[in-house]
Amino acid sequence: MTFLSLLFLLLLFSIEGCKAQKTTSSSGTAPQPQAQEVSVRSGLLAQFEKELTELVERVSPSVVAIYSTQEVSRGFGEDFPFFFPFQIPQERRSLGSGVIMAYKNGKFYILTNNHVVQGAKRIRVRFDPHTEKDGRLVGGDPKTDVAVVEVDAKGIENPEGRVAKLGDSDNLKVGQLVIAIGNPYGLERTVTFGVISALRRSIGITQYESFIQTDAPINPGNSGGPLINIKGEVIGINTAIVAEGQGLGFAIPINLAKWVADQLMAKGRVVRGWLGVVIQEITPEIAETIGVKEGILVAQIAPGSPAEKAGLKVGDIIVAVDGEKVREVRDLQFKIMKTPPGTEVTLTIIRGGKEQTIKAKVGEMPEEVSFGKPREQAGDLGLFLRDLSPEEVSRFGVKGVFVEGVAPGSLAQRSGLRRGDIILAVNNEPVESLSQFNEKIDRARNEQRTRVLLLIRRGGNNLYVVLYLR
């Protein structure tokens, strides 16, 4: 009998017991519950408790506490501005958790969060109250917040038995029971219990996000520790909390963490596939404007990128990669990320209302991706527009219409346009002057349209915005 079935039976017996008490109570006799029923429920509770404690005891040896020391500079003049106006180095100690994912050649390899060990001068790993060792950072990946730490296993009893069993995070379901183990506030090997409350969450802390959301309590210090299922398998790496909320913890899916960790262990860095596009979701407003509901909208293409070489264009809608549908930005993002550089992929796109396919050879993501020099922003209808000067065209590297101001409460402001935006296109037709822009807006109004799709340049990136005309 499994952990989950035991819990289900316990709930079932409790409900039946309540029903029995309710029935006898209404008849006025109210006899005591049968001793046999009480005994059965007590036995199930005892078995449930036994399985839970055994599971925790089995997994706990793979969980470690991590203490990292970073050197930070602090202005001594902050306290004594007239006497010591200079910077002095100081040490800052942070804490976190980790889980042993492998044991090779006498070394432990520990999975944790990159933010726990990033920039550390020294890493100390505590296996138990009496055993602490120095750790070496094998590699870290800020784009996923995953890191691997290596520790000499000499002197550690039964090192093979300390390696955690990794599960499969691709088949998780909302409502599954989970346990978090970690080092919150330095309270080592703290165990909390809950369920998976959501999947595929994005909270804006890393570039690649598909978090498992859980209500198992997670606190500062839990970062890097495991989230395990009822089989004792690690299905996530606890990473973040929402400070203002309760019961909102987030874990990196173990399949993603392992993919990153394997590369860090093999190469010391992560090699990702790259197309060189800025993409965005098709919102309901954009869908009404372009007449397409599914897919990912291409807002910008990096010069010289695989996307540009393949003939992909701004305004294309990517609906599938190698025949596999993409419905969200992360679908395309993760698909390309895991594609080895040099691999040719088939992109199914919609261009001008017609579906077609494009072959693209995936490149390797560079450390820094340039989409051009930083630009300003743009807008219209309730704002003030002007042509770009020749100097601005040269400086910004684009032709378009510059937004000098946005009237408060105007249609442009409500549409999300800002002062400084540069309007590049209306309904995917380029505009290089204010007269061209006005012409296209007038045409849209004559066609009784209530909105148009603008391509704008903002902060160095292209972005689609739906502009309401009334």
Side-chain angles (χ1 to χ4, degrees), residues 94-214:
S94 60
L95 60 89
S97 306
V99 59
I100 300 171
M101 65 170 291
Y103 171 67
K104 298 178 181 178
N105 303 319
K107 306 283 187 182
F108 284 131
Y109 291 90
I110 298 168
L111 198 54
T112 188
N113 284 140
N114 183 67
H115 75 260
V116 171
V117 293
Q118 187 175 27
K121 277 181 59 181
R122 189 183 188 193
I123 299 172
R124 294 288 287 174
V125 178
R126 184 174 295 176
F127 294 86
D128 57 56
H130 310 290
T131 310
E132 191 172 296
K133 287 175 170 281
D134 282 327
R136 181 185 73 86
L137 179 62
V138 174
D141 180 46
K143 289 182 172 66
T144 55
D145 200 15
V146 172
V148 176
V149 174
E150 179 189 85
V151 179
D152 189 347
K154 186 177 180 180
I156 304 292
E157 292 185 7
N158 187 25
E160 293 89 349
R162 284 183 173 265
V163 179
K165 184 178 180 182
L166 305 185
D168 181 3
S169 55
D170 287 344
N171 298 309
L172 298 177
K173 303 291 184 184
V174 173
Q176 283 184 235
L177 299 172
V178 288
I179 298 171
I181 307 179
N183 182 35
Y185 300 108
L187 302 171
E188 297 176 16
R189 289 186 181 166
T190 294
V191 177
T192 54
F193 180 74
V195 299
I196 294 174
S197 53
L199 294 167
R200 295 168 63 85
R201 287 294 198 213
S202 293
I203 57 176
I205 62 171
T206 61
Q207 183 172 339
Y208 293 89
E209 295 186 340
S210 187
F211 287 115
I212 302 165
Q213 181 180 307
T214 177

Side-chain angles (χ1 to χ4, degrees), residues 310-464:
L312 208 61
K313 296 181 179 179
V314 171
D316 286 344
I317 301 165
I318 302 174
V319 295
V321 179
D322 290 336
E324 185 179 334
K325 285 189 176 182
V326 291
R327 295 181 174 87
E328 300 177 286
V329 164
R330 68 166 63 89
D331 292 338
L332 180 63
Q333 191 181 34
F334 280 83
K335 173 72 174 176
I336 298 301
M337 177 188 77
K338 293 186 177 182
T339 300
T343 303
E344 187 177 76
V345 296
T346 301
L347 303 176
T348 304
I349 67 168
I350 295 176
R351 178 183 293 171
K354 297 180 180 179
E355 186 173 291
Q356 64 184 79
T357 59
I358 288 179
K359 300 284 187 181
K361 183 176 286 188
V362 175
E364 179 178 339
M365 177 176 282
E367 288 297 319
E368 296 294 333
V369 180
S370 175
F371 288 91
K373 299 177 181 179
R375 315 290 190 253
E376 304 295 322
Q377 296 138 349
D380 182 83
L381 288 171
L383 32 109
F384 308 93
L385 302 175
R386 65 169 173 80
D387 291 335
L388 290 174
S389 67
E391 292 77 14
E392 287 173 326
V393 170
S394 176
R395 176 157 53 95
F396 294 146
V398 296
K399 294 181 179 180
V401 181
F402 187 79
V403 183
E404 286 204 315
V406 180
S410 66
L411 287 171
Q413 186 185 55
R414 287 160 52 193
S415 299
L417 291 168
R418 304 175 188 172
R419 181 182 184 277
D421 286 342
I422 301 176
I423 301 175
L424 307 177
V426 177
N427 290 334
N428 283 324
E429 295 181 7
V431 293
E432 298 183 1
S433 66
L434 180 56
S435 61
Q436 288 183 357
F437 177 82
N438 289 333
E439 179 186 333
K440 296 184 189 305
I441 294 298
D442 288 342
R443 188 203 312 164
R445 284 173 170 157
N446 291 335
E447 294 171 353
Q448 304 299 310
R449 295 194 184 189
T450 60
R451 67 193 77 184
V452 293
L453 185 67
L454 302 183
L455 178 65
I456 66 172
R457 177 62 65 95
R458 175 179 293 169
N461 293 321
N462 286 8
L463 178 72
Y464 279 101

